[in-house]
Amino acid sequence: TEVTNGQFEWFNGQAARASHWTGGSHPRETITWVEANVFCESRGARLPTEAEWEFAARGPDGWIYPWGNTFVADNVVYGRNASMQTADVGSRPGGASWVGALDMSGNVWEWVADWYDAEHYKTLPNGVVNPTGPTSGQYHVLRGGSWWEETSQGLRATVRDWNPPDYGSDFRGFRCARSADESAATTAP
């Protein structure tokens, strides 16, 4: 799931700006890529790569949305049902991806590890599995859309956004990831 305000506080996360919405179960937003990355690393984790994020959201069948190919408004927190704010993480279980990941569409855009390059994925040879992003850049990638999106187009699992790594806003958050062979995390209450 997305990192919540409660988890961020429990594990002593550090950010220059407070979350806009302070509910303990709401996603931690108004956070920069740098702050999100430091938090994940402090937990023995990391930000997911863009390829990992997309595979978790789209699955082996390449779905348009994490739950399938048809938009279902009740599966996502977005501009037409969110009262222009975030919602509790995991509050739309119908939107779970094929691996059970929640909120991969809507609620908050999520920082991923990769640098942004508009042409990067277009130039990869067919059949590349788990491609890595560019080794440097000016912007980092965000995935998943947010409560701010008004249409289903902005909530598709393939949609990308980008911002400088020192930029945060009330519709940008994150989730942490581990590789399958990494040890299990200490969990928050």
Side-chain angles (χ1 to χ4, degrees), residues 18 24 39 50 59 72 78 99 117 143 154 159-160 176:
F39 178 82
E50 187 170 16
V72 179
Y78 79 123
V99 293
D117 179 345
R143 299 298 297 260
V159 174
R160 307 166 79 209
C176 297

Side-chain angles (χ1 to χ4, degrees), residues 5-167:
N5 286 320
Q7 291 166 330
F8 195 75
E9 182 179 343
W10 176 262
F11 292 115
N12 299 312
Q14 301 294 312
R17 296 170 52 202
S19 277
H20 188 79
W21 292 282
T22 57
S25 295
H26 280 245
R28 178 55 169 101
E29 33 70 20
T30 314
I31 190 160
T32 69
W33 181 92
V34 173
E35 293 163 341
N37 190 52
V38 167
F39 178 82
C40 290
E41 286 178 352
S42 76
R43 301 287 312 120
R46 58 184 168 72
L47 291 171
T49 67
E50 187 170 16
E52 288 172 330
W53 190 99
E54 187 167 330
F55 188 64
R58 300 186 72 204
D61 295 326
W63 287 343
I64 295 170
Y65 302 99
W67 55 86
N69 290 324
T70 303
F71 182 72
V72 179
D74 288 341
N75 287 353
V76 62
V77 176
Y78 79 123
R80 295 191 180 180
N81 67 10
S83 302
M84 298 309 286
Q85 65 179 13
T86 62
D88 286 352
V89 168
S91 63
R92 305 295 170 105
S97 77
W98 69 289
V99 293
L102 298 168
D103 296 312
M104 296 201 78
S105 183
N107 220 3
V108 290
W109 281 97
E110 298 176 13
W111 290 111
V112 296
D114 296 65
W115 290 101
Y116 175 76
D117 179 345
E119 301 300 316
H120 182 69
Y121 281 142
K122 294 177 186 175
T123 60
L124 292 172
N126 286 335
V128 171
V129 176
N130 198 18
T132 57
T135 57
S136 63
Q138 184 176 1
Y139 305 106
H140 274 285
V141 177
L142 294 118
R143 299 298 297 260
S146 79
W147 61 267
W148 183 258
E149 304 299 321
E150 287 288 329
T151 69
S152 60
Q153 288 296 101
L155 299 163
R156 292 170 296 136
T158 57
V159 174
R160 307 166 79 209
D161 196 9
W162 58 93
N163 277 121
D166 60 352
Y167 178 78

